[in-house]
Amino acid sequence: MAAQFGRRLRRGATSGAIVAAAVAALAASQGPGAIPPPTDNLNGDTAIGAGDATTPHGGGGTGGSATGDSPYFTDLPPLNPPKVPGVAPTAPQVPIVTGPAAAGIPATVLAAYQRAEASIRASDPACNLPWQLLAGIGKVESGQANGGRVDGNGTTFTPILGPALDGNGFALIQDTDNGAFDGDATHDRALGPMQFIPSTWAVWGQDANGDGKKDPQNVYDAAQAAGMYLCAGGRNLAIKADLDKAILSYNRSREYLTTVLHWFEYYGRGAHTVPDGTGQLPVDRSDRPTPGRPPLPITVTPSSPAAPSPRPSQDRPSPKPTDPATTPPAKPAEQTKPPTADPTRPSIEVPPTLRVSRLKAGTATLTAVTGSTFAQTASVTAVDASGRPVAGVSVRFALPATTDARFPAGATTVTVTSDARGVAKAPALRAGEKAASFTIRATVPGRSSLPAAELKATVEVRKADALTRIGTTALTAVTGAGYADVTVESRLAGALAPGVTVTAVITDSADSDAQSTDGPSFGKDAAGNPIRTKVLKTDAQGRLVVAGLVAGQKAGDYVLLLTAPGGGTAKVTLTVTAPATTPPATPDPTEEPAKDPAPTSSTSPSTSPSTSPSAATSPTASASPSA
């Protein structure tokens, strides 16, 4: 232990400025607007955990830290950090391919850190979380998941468990999970690659690898949860004070803070991947050299994940020299109730986005008729793991592409915030002209692993149970001539029914609903064919006008059949008559018939012998033997 502390002092004497410079360089790499950190205050008199939560960092029941101040690896990185040609010693770098063994991070573990950084950069860009900070904590907490001994999904082959937090050299934290996570039904233990205790994991646990489970033994889930935890309370990790507070919120020890910062700086100057399972394992642990260290003055009783628990207002006391042979082990102070939290210290409040465990949707189906506003409002309730409502949660409602229903201003997505009852209500939804069922999805932005709540909605066609013709004038036209307009009124349950789609068909008789082949029509289509079926819609007064009817070429009685959804029907007779024919002229009895003129000899050789002058003088006549 003496060698260890000598090494630590030697390192600390020269590294304060380097750490501050590394933090500044890494912060600068997070994007424009990063704030340079102030001068390092590692040797100042700031109380451990000052400015951190007086509640258990999200209700974990930890007494003020994510790990319950459980043991950690105290190995420091080499004195000479990795160097990359052409890169300034304090400049941030992209991971290199090869380098010192200490700078090697198992491939899956490094991928988990970098994925967590990218995810949190998208959901909380103001935090400026660098993956190198996660790598520093992961190194100190678990030696990068026991040297990267994880499967292809990122889950450790064997669970990583810290010692029982039974007050013997550590905080006293009684069981909060019935042994579900750590297998210990008496005391809690730190869990997984990032060493969350069960009550903290119950609040901050994530499903970052999308397998449907929030597993503290999975490096993807654990890295994402650790990043969110470090960013809590609106911290900007580009500011040195916020960076220190974030690390101290993980384990309230200044030695822990220094160790993590060394590794943070080291990885910031260069790191590279190594195969899973081949990472360099640390050796020294904080619990091994100090068996006589008195327990922390913390007692945490089982409570709900969001219940506050006390935390000390000062650094843990330094152990005094004792004779282990004569001095009995120190016992934790008995308390009948948790001490009152120091009101002068601001608490870190878990963002509502992280506190919400699920969105509850009602079971009722939203309904509306085409072109109208839905009577019901799309809403969900945000609740935490205990089923209590969570206010201030951003909820995004999204419509599918299959519907023409829209939110105000034609929007297909809207984002609203849950109220004090945890209820998030979308603005009024208006149905389009498409009658169909669809699903509205409600999600929490930034929580891709949180299942969406689904709300069922249905758009129905407008209906009319009665169609009545206005007027009684008979409709008659000769072949090819036009008819007068037909006006029809629609009603539903006695009330006028606007916006109803009505189908008009010309049929041969009142007993048929089939389209006629010879009857009147609504005109002709582009190809010159008669149109005998037409779809119309009632106006705001529930009326429609059938115009443009033309008689066909075949005389007879036909029917205009009108039908509407809901059962409304009307039948109007259309008569086609043939054009009138012209009768023959009748003679006038008072008019004398015309007489033909008398024939002349020159023109009529067949004159009577008695009057013909040639007959008396003809010599042959008198000489006829028959005379």
Side-chain angles (χ1 to χ4, degrees), residues 186-566:
T186 304
H187 299 95
D188 272 347
R189 296 170 181 260
L191 304 158
M194 303 305 280
Q195 290 289 278
F196 282 97
I197 62 172
S199 52
T200 307
W201 183 258
V203 175
W204 294 88
Q206 300 294 309
D207 175 21
N209 64 348
D211 63 358
K213 297 182 294 184
K214 297 179 181 180
D215 185 359
Q217 300 292 344
N218 182 277
V219 69
Y220 288 101
D221 295 357
Q224 179 79 10
M228 290 183 167
Y229 181 92
L230 293 166
C231 290
R235 292 192 186 108
N236 179 358
L237 301 182
I239 299 175
K240 184 61 167 63
D242 279 4
L243 177 67
D244 286 356
K245 291 175 184 178
I247 298 171
L248 286 170
S249 74
Y250 225 86
N251 191 310
R252 299 166 306 132
S253 161
R254 298 192 67 81
E255 292 178 358
Y256 179 86
L257 171 66
T258 302
T259 306
V260 170
L261 285 174
H262 283 326
W263 283 105
F264 175 43
E265 170 212 347
Y266 184 78
Y267 289 132
R269 292 168 63 93
H272 62 94
T273 61
V274 296
D276 289 345
T278 64
Q280 188 179 66
L281 295 175
V283 177
D284 294 332
R285 285 173 60 91
S286 61
D287 57 331
R288 289 173 184 163
T290 55
R293 182 177 64 182
L296 293 173
I298 300 172
T299 299
V300 180
T301 57
S303 60
S304 62
S309 63
R311 57 164 297 151
S313 60
Q314 298 179 352
D315 293 353
R316 65 178 68 175
S318 301
K320 296 180 180 180
T322 59
D323 184 354
T326 58
T327 304
K331 296 182 179 179
E334 294 184 359
Q335 298 178 357
T336 57
K337 63 179 180 178
T340 303
D342 185 351
T344 64
R345 292 186 180 176
S347 63
I348 294 179
E349 192 171 325
V350 182
T353 296
L354 297 181
R355 288 170 52 207
V356 63
S357 177
R358 66 188 180 101
L359 298 176
K360 294 196 305 182
T363 57
T365 298
L366 285 69
T367 58
V369 294
T370 53
S372 69
T373 300
F374 281 80
Q376 307 92 341
T377 301
S379 66
V380 295
T381 302
V383 297
D384 61 17
S386 300
R388 291 172 295 188
V390 182
V393 178
S394 294
V395 177
R396 181 176 182 266
F397 294 89
L399 300 172
T402 56
T403 181
D404 58 354
R406 293 293 182 265
F407 292 114
T412 57
T413 62
V414 292
T415 302
V416 298
T417 303
S418 62
D419 59 20
R421 297 175 297 126
V423 177
K425 290 184 178 181
L429 179 64
R430 186 170 181 81
E433 296 303 318
K434 185 184 295 185
S437 297
F438 59 93
T439 300
I440 306 170
R441 288 172 55 85
T443 57
V444 177
R447 293 288 304 278
S448 58
S449 61
L450 197 68
E454 296 186 343
L455 300 93
K456 302 298 181 182
T458 298
V459 177
E460 300 176 343
V461 296
R462 291 176 177 266
K463 298 178 180 180
D465 55 17
L467 296 177
T468 306
R469 180 191 171 197
I470 304 300
T472 58
T473 303
L475 297 173
T476 302
V478 298
T479 56
Y483 290 92
D485 292 349
V486 179
T487 302
V488 175
E489 184 178 79
S490 65
R491 290 181 177 271
L492 179 64
L496 293 173
V500 177
T501 299
V502 177
T503 301
V505 181
I506 306 296
T507 68
D508 290 329
S509 70
D511 297 328
S512 174
D513 57 4
Q515 177 178 286
S516 173
T517 58
D518 300 309
S521 67
F522 300 103
K524 295 184 178 181
D525 60 17
N529 300 314
I531 301 171
R532 293 190 171 94
T533 298
K534 194 171 186 178
V535 177
L536 306 168
K537 180 176 289 189
T538 60
D539 61 17
Q541 285 71 46
R543 293 189 174 188
L544 61 82
V545 176
V546 183
L549 282 168
V550 179
Q553 297 302 315
K554 185 176 180 180
D557 287 336
Y558 300 89
V559 171
L560 169 63
L561 174 63
L562 302 167
T563 58

Side-chain angles (χ1 to χ4, degrees), residues 144-166:
Q144 309 297 19
N146 281 347
R149 288 169 174 79
V150 296
D151 62 21
N153 198 38
T155 303
T156 58
F157 288 120
T158 57
I160 300 175
L161 296 174
L165 298 175
D166 57 4

Side-chain angles (χ1 to χ4, degrees), residues 60-75:
T62 69
S65 71
T67 64
D69 298 329
S70 59
Y72 56 92
F73 289 106
T74 60
D75 294 27

Side-chain angles (χ1 to χ4, degrees), residues 40-47 254 315:
D40 187 9
N41 190 33
L42 293 180
N43 296 321
D45 56 1
T46 303
R254 298 192 67 81
D315 293 353

Side-chain angles (χ1 to χ4, degrees), residues 16-105:
I18 294 177
V19 170
V23 172
L26 284 167
S29 71
Q30 303 305 307
I35 303 173
T39 304
D40 187 9
N41 190 33
L42 293 180
N43 296 321
D45 56 1
T46 303
I48 291 176
D52 289 340
T54 56
T55 59
H57 296 288
T62 69
S65 71
T67 64
D69 298 329
S70 59
Y72 56 92
F73 289 106
T74 60
D75 294 27
L76 294 173
L79 291 176
N80 297 319
K83 295 180 181 179
V84 177
V87 180
T90 58
Q93 301 171 4
V94 175
I96 59 179
V97 177
T98 61
I105 301 177

